[in-house]
Amino acid sequence: MGMLNNRLLEVHDLTTAFPIDSDTVRVVDGVNFSLDKGEILGLVGESGSGKTMTSLSIMGLVPPPGRILGGQVIFEGKNLVGLPDKDMNNIRGDRIGMVFQEPMSALNPVFRVGDQICETIETHRDFTKSEIKGQAIELLRSVGFDEPEQKFIQYPHQLSGGQRQRILIAMAVSCNPSLVIADEPTTALDVATESQILCLLQELVTGNSMSMIFITHNLHIIKSLGNRIGIMYAGRLLEQNRVDDFFRDPMHPYSKGLLDSVVNLKSDQQRLKAIPGTVPKMSELPTGCKFHPRCPSVMPMCREVEPQIKELDKGKWVRCYLYQS
Ligand code: SF4
């Protein structure tokens, strides 16, 4: 029972599709996962695997003509799928904070950054002007600016990429959300700035008992950041695991391949030991297991029917026939 009360988010059979030519292409197909309060889930996949579309689906931001075909997103006990725009707008920025990849395009170049933070707070809170400003200054301090008053009056172009990302993080957590969704927030940053931003996110999330979905193509990041990991491929979640178990003993053949390529990179090999083959196009998916053309363990039945998700232990799920007996 304790666990249930601790549940923040449950995603059931989430399916999102786009019309392409005369077809309906499911870019997210039957995705299931859950997130407890205080947990960080790393959603990992190559580009085109459906990880970003999964997060957009959760937030009700699937760009048309795409749409959610089915499934549920139970957040704080309420199903967000099909919620009117007005209600979704209230939840976004308030209960769910978002941090995206490109800080420059998410900020308005003609307004001072402090005013942009104030605006986010104003949308969701009924505070006086001076209360809001005070809160914005506090937020600037909490994301690592030593002279928040001075940062408040600067414009986005006067800041570095890392500083801009700090501003966006301040905006994302400004209403003390219970969930933060961060989509490749450090991709545009250099390695040193990246690790500072990751530390900041981790501090904010754990310090304020928030939960976070962190989307990335970089397994390394999740090793130090996440509690749980989900591996996406061709719109599906192929494996969910606890982070320490995953890095010690990944289950799915695709996960093993991903980890192998990371290990080889670390040992300074020039070439990534790539998984043979390429990520399939969403409009030309193979039959059966979507990974079968690239899988070293492929069996005849893998080509015929897609394996179901199987729970092996609490918090450990895998979609592969090697684990179905
Ligand atoms: Fe490989 Fe078959 Fe498992 Fe797919 S179901 S990952 S093809 S063993």
Side-chain angles (χ1 to χ4, degrees), residues 64-81:
R67 63 186 188 93
I68 295 179
L69 282 191
Q72 292 183 315
V73 175
I74 312 288
F75 172 72
E76 297 187 324
K78 189 195 278 183
N79 186 9
L80 304 186
V81 173

Side-chain angles (χ1 to χ4, degrees), residues 252-253 289 291-292 295 297-299 302 307 319-322:
H252 198 280
C289 169
F291 187 59
H292 88 248
C295 181
S297 312
V298 60
M299 300 170 277
C302 304
R319 192 192 271 273
C320 170
Y321 283 123
L322 294 174

Side-chain angles (χ1 to χ4, degrees), residues 57 140 156 175 245 250 252 304 315:
S57 304
L140 284 167
C175 294
D245 287 352
H252 198 280
E304 307 291 329

Side-chain angles (χ1 to χ4, degrees), residues 129-194:
K129 282 258 180 290
S130 71
E131 281 171 339
I132 289 175
K133 181 162 183 193
Q135 203 174 330
I137 300 274
E138 259 327 293
L139 279 162
L140 284 167
R141 201 189 308 279
S142 75
V143 295
F145 291 117
D146 294 335
E147 295 176 323
E149 286 86 0
Q150 187 221 327
K151 276 295 165 254
F152 188 97
I153 56 173
Q154 293 198 303
Y155 291 87
H157 72 267
Q158 295 174 301
L159 306 177
S160 68
Q163 290 176 330
R164 286 196 286 263
Q165 197 53 287
R166 285 176 193 273
I167 301 290
L168 283 193
I169 291 170
M171 288 162 81
V173 301
S174 61
C175 294
N176 207 12
S178 52
L179 174 65
V180 173
I181 299 183
D183 190 353
E184 306 258 14
T186 57
T187 304
L189 306 175
D190 60 70
V191 176
T193 314
E194 169 172 74

Side-chain angles (χ1 to χ4, degrees), residues 23-43:
D23 237 355
T24 304
V25 175
R26 295 171 173 223
V27 290
V28 175
D29 201 344
V31 162
N32 288 281
F33 66 86
S34 61
L35 194 63
D36 284 343
K37 290 177 186 155
E39 271 188 330
I40 298 178
L41 169 73
L43 214 48

Side-chain angles (χ1 to χ4, degrees), residues 7-28:
R7 193 50 57 82
L8 179 72
L9 176 74
E10 277 184 31
V11 175
H12 295 295
D13 277 331
L14 185 63
T15 300
T16 301
F18 279 80
I20 293 182
D21 300 331
S22 54
D23 237 355
T24 304
V25 175
R26 295 171 173 223
V27 290
V28 175

